[in-house]
């Protein structure tokens, strides 16, 4: 099936021309007549963004520039001292570089090490994003505006910590994995160690660490229950789940050189809708860095293809064909490791939360739930829906792994939704490397439990074109009622990540553009594109009633 626009929809070339015209200042089109294409959605997001944010005064701009300059000077010239922004920079009201969540729930996050018994390392570190019933606010709480469904507490810097989006360890590792061909490993690592946190404004993840998880809504005889725990903390009385006392679960597999925080905007947006999102930092050698959540020790280093290639070529009598075969065995072995880790995450996440973060999950014996019946039922710790109806999603290498999980799910039927963002489905480089094995490619097909397969193709990315025909084959296997391809015209390969938005809008954006080497006028604005991807994802989950 070819990913053509639906009848009545303009071709991508004309849409692109119209988009370029708007970038030059053409009048906005009324939203009621907006075309349902990716570019139109980006334009709508841009208009909403302009309405939501007041224009900055020259004084505000000057202050922000001065603060950024101070951080640059401090980091570059003050030995041994690392500056951190004040707490006001962490609030949603002050820091809206990334798209903000729109769901009814505040969001919290924890870092855990989930056991993987069949793995040599034995664990996979994860970030787990989830809905909470505690809203941390800046400044004094206005009693008149208090939401009775959610407890509001005043921000306390000592208690309410946020993880750093990219600390110096991750920055150095990202430099080594991404910039080594330009500067060499040592210099690339040093440059990103110094400049990476500055380029992202020392960004913190927009979720407080370790707040209690909201109790899933329970549908009773008189409607959805209002749930109160310990007499004080209240959850939302209107849930986004199916009202059976469980939260829907999603697992997100990162790209090569990715890490646990790279997709925080997407994970937080889903969690705000009432979804528990598990983001493993894969221990297969594809993460830019992989650290234990509990011990903070490195688990495995990034494995570069050029190094593996030299290793293969050093074998006596190794031909090009043998090298190609070994390369694919290595890549597909990494994909196998990821599939193993994804299932381990789903099998063990609830038990791991109970052991490592016992204060997060609702109590195992809780009689404070009233569902309209005469008796008050007990809630046990099984509040995550991990055995069925799971959303598996991923980007690039992770997008391919998401499809592999679903292809092999015909009997188990664990996954009902697959979102693959610009997946690496085809073969790349002269060695024809691909994480998708010939066996999986031959057995493309999905279980009856599959309700939605959506594949995004970024037209300015380097992985889409080689694998487009395979994506079409996957969609054809589920039918147009359950699957579709969305072509993201003008989006680069990493537009689905937080990184492009943060680097493009940071104080060192000119350095990023120089390293990127792409004409900015040919690419979509990063923030609006990321927001469009998130909106499309949530809209699809509502369409299938996975979210309500």
């Amino acid at each position: 099936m070819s990913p053509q626009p639906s009848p009545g929809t303009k071709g991508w070339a004309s849409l692109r021309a119209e988009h370029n015209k708007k970038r030059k200042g053409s009048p906005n089109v009324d939203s009621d007549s907006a075309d349902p294409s990716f570019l139109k959605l980006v334009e709508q997001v841009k208009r909403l963004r302009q309405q939501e944010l007041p224009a900055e005064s020259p004084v505000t701009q000057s202050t922000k520039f001065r603060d950024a300059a101070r951080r640059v000077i401090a980091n570059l010239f003050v030995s041994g001292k690392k500056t951190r922004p004040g707490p006001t920079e962490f609030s949603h009201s002050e820091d809206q570089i990334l798209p903000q969540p729109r769901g009814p729930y505040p969001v919290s996050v924890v870092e855990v090490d989930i056991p993987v018994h069949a793995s040599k390392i034995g664990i996979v570190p994860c970030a787990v994003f989830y809905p909470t019933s505690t809203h941390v606010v800046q400044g004094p709480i206005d009693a008149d505006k208090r939401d009775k469904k959610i407890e509001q507490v005043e921000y306390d810097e000592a208690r309410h910590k946020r993880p750093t989006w990219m600390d110096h360890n991750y920055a150095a590792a990202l430099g080594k994995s991404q910039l080594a061909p330009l500067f060499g490993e040592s210099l690339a690592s040093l440059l990103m160690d110094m400049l990476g946190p500055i380029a992202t404004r020392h960004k913190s993840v927009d979720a407080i660490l370790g707040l209690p998880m909201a109790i899933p809504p329970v549908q009773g005889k008189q409607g959805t229950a209002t749930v109160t725990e310990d007499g004080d903390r209240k959850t939302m009385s209107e849930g986004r789940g199916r009202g059976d006392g469980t939260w829907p679960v999603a697992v997100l597999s990162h790209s090569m050189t990715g890490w646990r925080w790279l997709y925080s905007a997407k994970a937080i947006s889903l969690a705000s809708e009432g979804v528990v999102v598990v983001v493993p930092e894969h221990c297969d050698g594809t993460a830019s860095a992989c650290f234990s959540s509990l011990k903070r020790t490195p688990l495995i280093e990034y494995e570069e293809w050029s190094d593996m290639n030299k290793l293969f070529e050093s074998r006596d009598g190794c031909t090009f064909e043998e090298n190609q075969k070994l390369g694919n065995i290595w890549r597909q072995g990494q994909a196998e490791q990821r599939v193993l880790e994804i299932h381990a995450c789903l099998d063990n996440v609830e038990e791991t939360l109970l052991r490592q973060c016992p204060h997060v999950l609702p109590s195992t014996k809780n009689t404070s739930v009233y569902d309209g019946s005469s008796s008050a039922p007990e809630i046990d710790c099984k509040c995550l829906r991990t055995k069925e109806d799971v959303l598996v999603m991923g980007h690039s290498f992770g997008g391919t792994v998401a499809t592999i999980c679903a292809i092999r799910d015909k009997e188990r039927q664990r996954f009902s939704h697959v979102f693959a963002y610009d997946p690496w489905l085809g073969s790349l480089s002269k060695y024809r490397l691909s994480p998708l094995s010939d066996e999986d490619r031959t057995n493309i097909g999905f279980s009856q439990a599959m309700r939605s397969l959506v594949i995004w193709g970024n037209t300015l990315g380097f992985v889409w074109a080689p694998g487009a025909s395979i994506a079409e084959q996957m969609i054809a296997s589920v039918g147009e009622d359950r699957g579709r391809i969305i072509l993201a015209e003008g989006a680069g390969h990493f537009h689905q990540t937080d990184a492009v938005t943060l680097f493009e809008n940071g104080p060192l954006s000119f350095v990023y553009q120089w390293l990127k080497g792409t004409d900015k006028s040919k690419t979509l604005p990063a923030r609006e594109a990321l927001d469009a991807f998130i909106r499309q994802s949530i809209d699809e989950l509502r369409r299938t009633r996975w979210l309500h």
Side-chain angles (χ1 to χ4, degrees), residues 415-429:
F415 304 106
S416 64
H417 292 69
V418 177
F419 290 171
Y421 303 96
D422 207 26
W424 174 7
L425 297 174
S427 301
L428 297 180
S429 81

Side-chain angles (χ1 to χ4, degrees), residues 110-115 117 123 294 347-362 364 381-382 384:
V110 291
E111 298 177 83
V112 294
D113 289 332
I114 295 180
H117 301 299
I123 60 171
L294 301 182
D347 291 339
N348 302 318
V349 60
E350 202 152 18
E351 181 181 355
T352 301
L353 288 173
L354 281 171
R355 292 178 181 276
Q356 298 179 16
C357 310
H359 60 287
V360 166
L361 286 178
T364 58
C381 62
K382 299 298 181 182
L384 306 186

Side-chain angles (χ1 to χ4, degrees), residues 3 52-53 57 160 169 245 269 286 291 384 387 401 404 442 484-485 487-488 526:
E52 291 171 358
L53 294 180
S57 66
H160 300 131
N169 290 325
S269 292
T286 60
F291 293 95
L384 306 186
K387 303 300 181 185
V401 169
I404 294 173
T442 302
R484 62 182 175 134
I485 291 173
L487 285 180

Side-chain angles (χ1 to χ4, degrees), residues 25-85:
S26 296
N28 289 331
V29 178
D30 184 78
S31 59
D32 293 335
S33 62
D35 193 283
S37 68
F38 182 80
L39 292 179
K40 286 285 186 178
L41 184 56
V42 170
E43 291 298 334
Q44 291 177 30
V45 171
K46 287 173 67 177
R47 292 200 298 273
L48 289 172
R49 170 74 172 159
Q50 292 169 357
Q51 295 170 6
E52 291 171 358
L53 294 180
E56 291 183 342
S57 66
V59 174
T60 304
Q61 295 174 350
S62 175
T63 301
K64 288 192 172 184
F65 179 83
R66 185 176 64 251
D67 290 343
R70 285 175 178 170
R71 288 198 292 271
V72 171
I73 293 171
N75 277 270
L76 291 179
F77 300 105
V78 180
S79 176
K81 184 177 180 180
K82 299 176 182 177
T83 61
R84 290 183 61 84

Side-chain angles (χ1 to χ4, degrees), residues 8 31 91 118 137 149-150 210 274 292 298 312 319 326 338 357 374 487 523:
S31 59
S91 69
V137 297
K149 302 168 186 175
I150 295 179
S292 164
F312 298 150
T319 64
L326 289 172
R338 286 193 177 211
C357 310
S374 57
L487 285 180
T523 61

Side-chain angles (χ1 to χ4, degrees), residues 134-361:
T134 303
H135 186 199
V136 179
V137 297
Q138 298 279 341
I141 298 171
D142 188 343
D144 295 333
K145 296 182 179 180
R146 184 187 297 272
D147 188 342
K148 296 180 181 180
K149 302 168 186 175
I150 295 179
E151 179 191 13
Q152 295 187 16
V153 298
E154 190 172 347
Y155 174 80
D156 183 335
E157 187 174 4
R159 291 172 50 224
H160 300 131
K161 302 292 186 181
R162 299 177 190 260
T164 303
W165 186 82
M166 183 175 67
D167 65 18
H168 288 269
N169 290 325
Y170 282 107
L174 184 63
K176 181 179 178 181
S177 60
Q178 286 278 10
L179 303 179
L182 282 176
F183 303 108
E185 288 187 359
S186 298
L187 182 56
S189 179
L190 178 62
L191 285 174
M192 276 298 290
D193 184 5
M194 292 191 303
L195 301 179
I198 300 170
T200 56
R201 302 179 189 271
H202 295 267
K203 172 69 178 172
S204 291
V205 176
D206 292 328
I208 301 291
L209 281 164
L211 295 176
M213 183 182 293
I215 300 175
V218 179
Q219 189 74 25
K221 294 180 181 179
Q222 298 179 7
T224 305
T226 298
V227 182
T228 307
E229 184 175 2
D230 298 331
D232 297 320
R233 182 165 61 86
K234 295 182 179 181
T235 69
M236 294 292 294
S237 62
E238 297 178 0
R240 288 295 192 264
R242 56 187 182 186
D244 63 352
T246 63
W247 291 121
V249 174
V251 60
L252 196 164
S253 184
H254 62 71
S255 67
M256 289 179 59
T257 73
W259 68 100
R260 68 190 76 177
W261 307 122
L262 187 57
Y263 307 89
S264 70
K266 188 180 280 105
I268 289 171
S269 292
L270 282 171
S272 76
E273 300 285 346
V275 181
V276 175
V277 185
V278 184
V279 186
E281 195 166 83
H282 289 295
C283 299
D284 61 340
T286 60
S288 60
C290 185
F291 293 95
S292 164
S293 296
L294 301 182
K295 298 181 180 179
R296 298 296 173 185
T297 54
L299 298 175
I300 186 171
E301 290 188 354
Y302 177 73
E303 295 177 356
E304 175 60 56
W305 161 242
S306 60
D307 296 333
M308 299 302 296
N309 188 26
K310 291 176 183 177
L311 178 64
F312 298 150
E313 289 179 342
S314 66
R315 296 163 55 96
D316 292 338
C318 183
T319 64
F320 176 84
E321 289 74 18
E322 289 173 337
N323 196 355
Q324 182 184 48
K325 182 178 179 180
L326 289 172
N328 275 298
I329 290 174
W330 167 62
R331 275 288 182 234
Q332 290 159 19
Q334 291 176 320
E336 292 288 342
Q337 174 73 16
R338 286 193 177 211
V339 172
L340 183 70
E341 290 173 352
I342 286 173
H343 281 288
C345 285
L346 295 170
D347 291 339
N348 302 318
V349 60
E350 202 152 18
E351 181 181 355
T352 301
L353 288 173
L354 281 171
R355 292 178 181 276
Q356 298 179 16
C357 310
H359 60 287
V360 166
L361 286 178

